[in-house]
Amino acid sequence: MGLIGIVLSLGLLMYLAYRGITVLILAPLLALLALVLNGEFTLLGTYTQIFMTALGDYVIQYFPLFLLGAIFGKLMADSGSARAIAETIVGRLGPSNAIAAIVLSCGILTYGGVSLFVVAFAVYPIAAAMFKRGDLPKRLIPAAIALGSFTFTMTAFPGTPAIQNAIPMPFFGTTPFAAPIIGVVAGLIMMIGGIAWLNFRAKRAAGRNEGYGEHEESAIGESAEIEGDAPSFWVAMAPAIAVIVLNALFTYVFIPAMDTSYLSTEEFGEIEIGDVRGIWAIIAALVLSILLLVGLNYKRLTDLKTSVNKGTFGSLLPVFNTASEVGYGAIIASLPAFFVVRDAVLGLTDNPLINVAVATNVLAGITGSASGGMSIALEALGDRFAELAETAGISEQLMHRITTLSSGGFDALPHNGAVITLLGICGLTHRQSYADIFVVAVCIPVAATIVAIVLGTIGVI
């Protein structure tokens, strides 16, 4: 009955979230449902002492990244920088390479720290114009944006400031640049494989004389323009490049040179610098890059206060959504029946890489969230995964990268919030576009993760 309760709770979470009910309400209610079906009736104590504690711990640790990332993305959009980058790349590659141009535009923006939602809004009008000019099916636009926004730059390429690349750091004592060779290989598989698939689909559509098609204008329009004087390409790129460069400098140069011995005191939690180095580096990189962005675009940011405020408010729902899922996972992990699930996952093979990949992918798929699924997996099993990796002689860097890669597979199932939002932006339906999203954002990333596990098993990191 306990296992049935967990499965029922997870199933309802997935279904009701797909139906549009916020996880802020669903997560605690359905976790407590699982508690009752497991024969436990300590509802209030479980809610305040387990759910809220886990939620609070997550917010304490990761809120600065959500906050700064949202502000940075909003300023990139409001300054015209995001659109300037996308338009330049599309213009250079031309209509015949529209798919690759859109993917690369999204990839550069997200790898530079711009939120995937901001990127989707910024790039969609350009993609619509390019696809219409090249007479490519509009139904392929969501897959192109998804490929560039929430695959290789979210989980694979080393140094990405995406939250998915930050979550494993405290568990494995790693940095955003963990396992760089495997990250690059996996990222290239996703990018090249995804572009090849979409070009193949476009060629088949051309053979059937299927063009752009007749479509109603989407909610954000088909040809929005940058208001005012847009920055040049390199001015627009400078803050995005700064995020990556500063992240590396703080990770490998500045922070190691600092006196951080005070962290070992009781006042600071008796931790080591490895526990916070990665998060410190991303925070510092984003703060300085935001200042650079504002300095370069001060005249273009006509209402800086409003941009910063909207970015700040825009960070609140994502961080609390994810934190609520972490709280949900903490309750599930406290149930006796969960130990059966845990033992099943840990007993799949003797290879911790496979175990962490399966656990993360399954939970990301169930919750429809890469960060949420990974957080639940690591909160419940992170310490155990670290122990198994040490026993097996597997690098913690490798565990970090495989965990991150695994969060970006089954998370993009139809109920994923980013998928639903992206289709809404493009004015298309699941029936029209989801099949190609499934290939480029689920199938190919899972294949890349398998390749990464094989390479990691033979000693490549």
Side-chain angles (χ1 to χ4, degrees):
M1 191 63 186
L3 283 174
I4 292 174
I6 291 176
V7 172
L8 177 62
S9 171
L10 291 172
L12 286 172
L13 177 65
M14 182 166 58
Y15 173 74
L16 294 174
Y18 176 75
R19 300 292 296 178
I21 301 177
T22 174
V23 297
L24 295 177
I25 297 297
L26 289 177
L29 289 180
L30 293 177
L32 294 175
L33 172 64
L35 181 75
V36 170
L37 292 177
N38 272 262
E40 303 285 341
F41 298 95
T42 54
L43 299 179
L44 292 175
T46 299
Y47 177 70
T48 60
Q49 305 308 119
I50 298 179
F51 181 89
M52 289 305 300
T53 298
L55 181 150
D57 289 344
Y58 184 88
V59 172
I60 288 170
Q61 190 150 30
Y62 297 112
F63 177 67
L65 305 189
F66 279 86
L67 172 67
L68 294 170
I71 292 173
F72 181 80
K74 182 61 177 172
L75 293 174
M76 285 288 285
D78 288 355
S79 67
S81 298
R83 293 288 308 280
I85 292 170
E87 287 185 341
T88 300
I89 294 172
V90 168
R92 295 281 176 83
L93 294 181
S96 61
N97 295 304
I99 289 173
I102 296 303
V103 172
L104 291 176
S105 298
C106 294
I108 289 173
L109 289 168
T110 50
Y111 192 50
V114 182
S115 161
L116 65 91
F117 296 105
V118 173
V119 170
F121 277 107
V123 173
Y124 167 69
I126 304 168
M130 290 296 297
F131 276 52
K132 188 178 293 184
R133 191 183 311 166
D135 204 27
L136 299 171
K138 182 183 178 182
R139 59 182 173 81
L140 297 180
I141 292 177
I145 294 176
L147 174 59
S149 298
F150 43 95
T151 60
F152 56 92
T153 59
M154 185 178 81
T155 64
F157 284 172
T160 174
I163 189 67
Q164 291 79 7
N165 194 36
I167 290 172
M169 294 190 298
F171 294 93
F172 300 119
T174 47
T175 75
F177 297 87
I181 296 175
I182 281 184
V184 170
V185 170
L188 290 175
I189 290 172
M190 295 182 207
M191 181 174 68
I192 296 171
I195 292 174
W197 170 262
L198 293 177
N199 281 330
F200 165 73
R201 294 282 284 171
K203 187 174 293 186
R204 288 193 62 183
R208 298 192 300 267
N209 294 318
E210 177 190 353
Y212 184 81
E214 297 294 328
H215 301 275
E216 294 183 5
E217 187 171 301
S218 77
I220 68 167
E222 301 285 314
S223 58
E225 300 292 338
I226 299 175
E227 297 181 3
D229 177 34
S232 68
F233 174 75
W234 289 111
V235 169
M237 279 292 297
I241 294 172
V243 173
I244 304 301
V245 174
L246 289 170
N247 193 355
L249 288 174
F250 276 99
T251 298
Y252 296 113
V253 180
F254 300 146
I255 293 177
M258 296 166 57
D259 179 10
T260 57
S261 58
Y262 64 90
L263 292 175
S264 62
T265 64
E266 183 178 355
E267 180 182 2
F268 290 93
E270 299 178 330
I271 62 172
E272 298 179 356
I273 185 58
D275 297 325
V276 293
R277 179 176 57 172
I279 291 175
W280 282 12
I282 296 177
I283 289 173
L286 283 171
V287 168
L288 293 177
S289 297
I290 287 170
L291 295 176
L292 175 63
L293 198 167
V294 172
L296 292 174
N297 297 279
Y298 190 77
K299 292 183 178 180
R300 299 183 187 93
L301 294 166
T302 55
D303 194 346
L304 180 59
K305 180 181 70 174
T306 298
S307 295
V308 172
N309 285 346
K310 286 186 176 180
T312 300
F313 297 146
S315 70
L316 298 179
L317 185 58
V319 71
F320 276 98
N321 277 341
T322 305
S324 293
E325 291 170 343
V326 171
Y328 171 89
I331 292 180
I332 297 298
S334 72
L335 301 177
F338 180 79
F339 293 102
V340 177
V341 177
R342 182 200 65 183
D343 293 342
V345 170
L346 295 176
L348 284 174
T349 70
D350 294 329
N351 189 334
L353 298 177
I354 296 176
N355 294 341
V356 73
V358 171
T360 304
N361 246 315
V362 169
L363 288 168
I366 289 170
T367 60
S369 168
S371 55
M374 175 165 45
S375 297
I376 292 172
L378 291 178
E379 289 290 342
L381 300 169
D383 292 340
R384 183 62 176 148
F385 284 140
E387 292 174 8
L388 292 174
E390 184 177 0
T391 301
I394 293 175
S395 162
E396 291 180 329
Q397 288 193 46
L398 185 56
M399 290 293 290
H400 171 130
R401 186 57 53 203
I402 296 301
T403 303
T404 304
L405 286 170
S406 302
S407 73
F410 290 172
D411 70 306
L413 292 176
H415 61 292
N416 173 270
V419 169
I420 294 170
T421 301
L422 177 57
L423 291 172
I425 291 171
C426 297
L428 295 166
T429 65
H430 280 79
R431 175 175 291 184
Q432 290 171 303
S433 297
Y434 182 72
D436 292 297
I437 294 176
F438 180 77
V439 172
V440 302
V442 178
C443 296
I444 294 176
V446 168
T449 302
I450 293 172
V451 172
I453 291 173
V454 172
L455 291 175
T457 301
I458 62 177
V460 177
I461 63 169

